Amino acid sequence: MDSWLLLFLFSLASFRLTRLIVFDKITAFIRSPFHEEIDELDEDGNTVTYIKIKGSGLRSWIGELLSCYWCTGVWCSSFLYLFWLGVPSIAEPIIILLSIAGLAGILETLVSKLIN
């Protein structure tokens, strides 16, 4: 496979996996031991969610990691790459699925912004 195609697929897969871990509601159970989500109303009446890191030491460190898109992205990229190096026959379909989902998410965001 061409190295540019691999870079593109890994980038999209890492993007999607990182968003899945850091933001998506379906993975809130992963974050809940480390984060407390606090909802507040702003002056316009919109709900704004803040994250409060729980605990100290390792628990706090993991909470900080899970609240940082950039930090989690490095670990997700590392995981995907090492997974691919170790077990490419299992990793490749997962990377392709995450890539498709990542590109679909980007396209949906762009289309939504163009329509509104």
Side-chain angles (χ1 to χ4, degrees):
M1 198 179 301
D2 189 25
S3 61
W4 286 105
L5 179 57
L6 277 176
L7 176 63
F8 183 68
L9 291 176
F10 271 97
S11 298
L12 288 172
S14 179
F15 162 75
R16 186 62 197 109
L17 182 59
T18 302
R19 286 198 61 82
L20 182 67
I21 292 170
V22 175
F23 296 114
D24 289 1
K25 289 186 186 292
I26 195 169
T27 54
F29 71 94
I30 294 172
R31 297 183 303 273
S32 66
F34 309 101
H35 291 173
E36 179 183 350
E37 291 188 359
I38 301 166
D39 292 329
E40 292 182 2
L41 290 176
D42 65 9
E43 59 262 1
D44 296 329
N46 299 315
T47 302
V48 180
T49 302
Y50 296 97
I51 294 172
K52 180 180 176 191
I53 307 299
K54 294 180 180 178
S56 60
L58 181 61
R59 186 176 183 192
S60 174
W61 182 80
I62 294 171
E64 290 288 343
L65 176 72
L66 291 174
S67 69
C68 174
Y69 185 82
W70 301 105
C71 303
T72 304
V74 170
W75 290 104
C76 286
S77 300
S78 301
F79 167 76
L80 288 173
Y81 183 64
L82 292 173
F83 185 37
W84 178 72
L85 286 177
V87 195
S89 62
I90 297 172
E92 284 180 7
I94 293 170
I95 290 168
I96 290 169
L97 286 172
L98 287 168
S99 297
I100 292 167
L103 184 57
I106 291 168
L107 291 173
E108 175 58 32
T109 301
L110 292 174
V111 168
S112 293
K113 293 209 183 277
L114 289 173
I115 292 173
N116 294 329

